[in-house]
Amino acid sequence: MNAPLPSFRAIQALPDNLISQIAAGEVVERPSAVVKELLENALDAGATQITVRLEQGGIKRISITDNGRGISPEQLPLALARHATSKITSLHDLENVATLGFRGEALASIASVSQMTFTSRTADAAHACEIDGSTLVVTPSSGGQGSTVNVQDLYFNTPARRKFLKSDQTEYGHCAEVVRRIALSRPDVAFSLSHNGKTVDHWLATESAKRSASILGTEFAEARLPLDESAGTLRLYGFVGLPTASKARGDSQYFYVNGRFVRDKVLMHAVRAAYQDVLHGDRFPTYVLALDLDPSLVDVNVHPSKIEVRFRDSRSIHQFIYHAVNRALALTSATSFGTTPAPIPAPSGAMPWMRGSAEHLQAILQPQPHQQTTFGGQFRGNTYPGVAQSPTQYGALFNQATPTNPSAALGVGMPDAHQTNANDEFPLGFALAQLHGIYILAQNAKGLVLVDMHAAHERILYEQLKDALDENAMQVQPLLIPVTFFADDVEVGTVEENQEILKSLGFDIAAMSPTTLAVRAVPALLKNADAQTLARDVLRDVREFGGSRVLVERRNALLGTLACHTAVRANRHLTVPEMNALLRQMEATDRADQCNHGRPTWSQLAMSDLDKLFLRGQ
């Protein structure tokens, strides 16, 4: 047991070295934190070539060499002093930080818990100079323009901290990840990484597409969509992975704000929400995205390691990112390598609800005197005749094409597979046959296409219902008896500060007392939901993200259920014209690569794949 502290101690100033060691507890969490700080300093110095050398996972040695501007001999002692930096001089500079490092603590903190030497040379200097981190003595040295920071025996003088480090391989893994993160953000800079004398990675200066491919692999490079959108001072650019490139872990998600890697809940939530309709289960999307904005609109000084940021208007940032990623994902690979056909005109027939008609949406949005209270009840009886899946009713979707009148569907402008060869104008090609009443076999310019007809039709209906619903103004359902519930101070404050946002979302929530909220109206689409739970979820989202995705997610869940129930089922015989009509609608539908549950709707077998199966040309 430790000896008890005396009951009274006089206030006294701490020694400088102890102050630096306390700061090191925040800045130098592990070797990877040292690598991060030194790499950021190198980039701020204008380096175009950076070499990272590690020994024993960085615990024994970290050496980083760059060809940046360097530091003059008289400035070297200041570089290792606490709270000394060339990057900010006033509060205005702090509120408009455009550099990666700026706090003036990194080098002093690192030097306090290691044996560090700093060698640097400017372009006009006759030779380099070296400073010892312990004695602060500057001596002449050799070296080219730039700087070399050599950190040895990390935590040699604080053994308690060293006990918390993991194995050499684990610590090296963290260091390598930091190098990869920074290399992704600066493809114009060459990086080299070695461990225990062996070169592990080397990336030449190149463009963003090649750098991301070399770091994240060919799987990501072959399944990504470019993104570059601007709105005012905001610009979002980079690559988002296709849903087929999703992973079981969220370790391939890279987001940068003004060149700084961050893990911000607002940004991650916005991207995740954009993937909501196309991810299967609990999979995680892959992406490399960079957000550039006015430095005055973001506070990067809210976390010791600068891994988190705070936006002045988080709602606008969230909405901009969500819509930008959502639009990128709408470009399906079915239409990306060919010419997108014009949208098929809405047919008139026995099934207008399959095109999201006003009557059908009215039934969803407006309460009826004797309406079913459960969503599943809408499918009982003959309310939606399409569930019966009779050939004549399904044929109405394709301009009345039926087994007895197959030529009618050709009126939408797609030739029969037996009349025209597949070409790039129709990426999914033309139907050949139906397999076991489940899959459509089609031929396109690349080879064979397999389509899950239920999943494909489900996505088509789902997108049509969403589009039709978005064209209508938000319908509000006033509650006959307001729902009141106990609320804490934060929830009450959120309601009072965000009345306009809540009204735009279809809610009427008022504070009845300092501890009570009353829900007086909700969106009509969610009138059967628990008002209290829904209100709490919305208030949480508004408080954290400046808006709410709860409403969109619940709305889409209802529309997804409707689309699933009304889509063509397995074992339903389709004629070739009907199958072709489905292929053309897939090509004209956003996100057609996946159904709304995230399952793939189609798969391509190239001629080269088929040749390998039969050993042709071998």
Side-chain angles (χ1 to χ4, degrees), residues 70-343:
I71 301 176
S72 60
E74 62 274 11
Q75 290 277 299
L76 282 176
L78 274 176
L80 269 64
R82 290 186 303 107
H83 304 302
T85 179
S86 62
K87 300 167 186 176
I88 58 172
T89 59
S90 65
L91 179 60
H92 177 268
D93 293 340
L94 183 61
E95 293 176 346
N96 294 269
V97 172
T99 55
L100 298 176
F102 59 89
R103 299 176 65 153
E105 295 180 1
L107 291 177
S109 299
I110 295 168
S112 70
V113 292
S114 68
Q115 296 175 338
M116 187 183 83
T117 58
F118 192 129
T119 305
S120 191
R121 179 182 177 182
T122 58
D124 57 352
H127 58 81
C129 288
E130 178 183 293
I131 184 172
D132 186 281
S134 301
T135 64
L136 300 184
V137 175
V138 179
T139 57
S141 183
S142 60
Q145 178 183 340
S147 301
T148 297
V149 183
N150 194 39
V151 179
Q152 292 187 332
D153 297 324
L154 192 62
Y155 298 131
F156 79 99
N157 55 353
T158 52
R161 293 293 308 278
R162 189 158 186 165
K163 291 179 181 178
F164 285 93
L165 298 180
K166 304 300 182 183
S167 67
D168 293 355
Q169 191 60 35
T170 299
E171 295 300 339
Y172 165 73
H174 288 288
C175 292
E177 177 62 19
V178 167
V179 177
R180 283 193 291 268
R181 290 174 181 174
I182 294 180
L184 273 173
S185 70
R186 292 297 302 271
D188 58 317
V189 177
F191 290 85
S192 179
L193 171 64
S194 64
H195 186 222
N196 294 334
K198 179 181 179 182
T199 300
V200 180
D201 285 309
H202 183 74
W203 301 295
L204 298 175
T206 183
E207 58 185 15
S208 179
K210 293 182 179 179
R211 176 63 60 83
S212 60
S214 62
I215 293 179
L216 299 182
T218 56
E219 182 181 355
F220 177 77
E222 294 173 355
R224 65 183 177 187
L225 297 169
L227 187 154
D228 193 342
E229 290 205 18
S230 299
T233 62
L234 301 178
R235 182 193 175 200
L236 182 69
Y237 57 96
F239 301 94
V240 291
L242 291 171
T244 52
S246 62
K247 294 189 174 183
R249 297 169 53 191
D251 57 355
S252 295
Q253 300 178 342
Y254 298 88
F255 211 116
Y256 302 87
V257 175
N258 288 346
R260 186 189 311 277
F261 175 82
V262 298
R263 284 201 175 278
D264 183 80
K265 61 182 180 181
V266 172
L267 305 178
M268 296 178 70
H269 184 273
V271 177
R272 180 74 187 187
Y275 274 91
Q276 188 70 34
D277 280 347
V278 292
L279 278 187
H280 183 61
D282 296 326
R283 305 283 291 180
F284 291 88
T286 59
Y287 52 83
V288 179
L289 292 173
L291 175 67
D292 289 349
L293 72 165
D294 188 334
S296 64
L297 301 179
V298 57
D299 185 1
V300 298
N301 193 30
V302 296
H303 192 276
S305 63
K306 303 186 288 291
I307 198 73
E308 297 177 5
V309 294
R310 181 181 295 127
F311 297 102
R312 180 172 296 180
D313 187 357
S314 59
R315 183 172 186 267
S316 297
I317 299 294
H318 185 280
Q319 290 299 98
F320 170 67
I321 294 173
Y322 165 74
H323 289 295
V325 176
N326 195 42
R327 281 190 289 268
L329 293 175
L331 301 176
T332 68
S333 61
T335 58
S336 60
F337 75 87
T339 303
T340 306

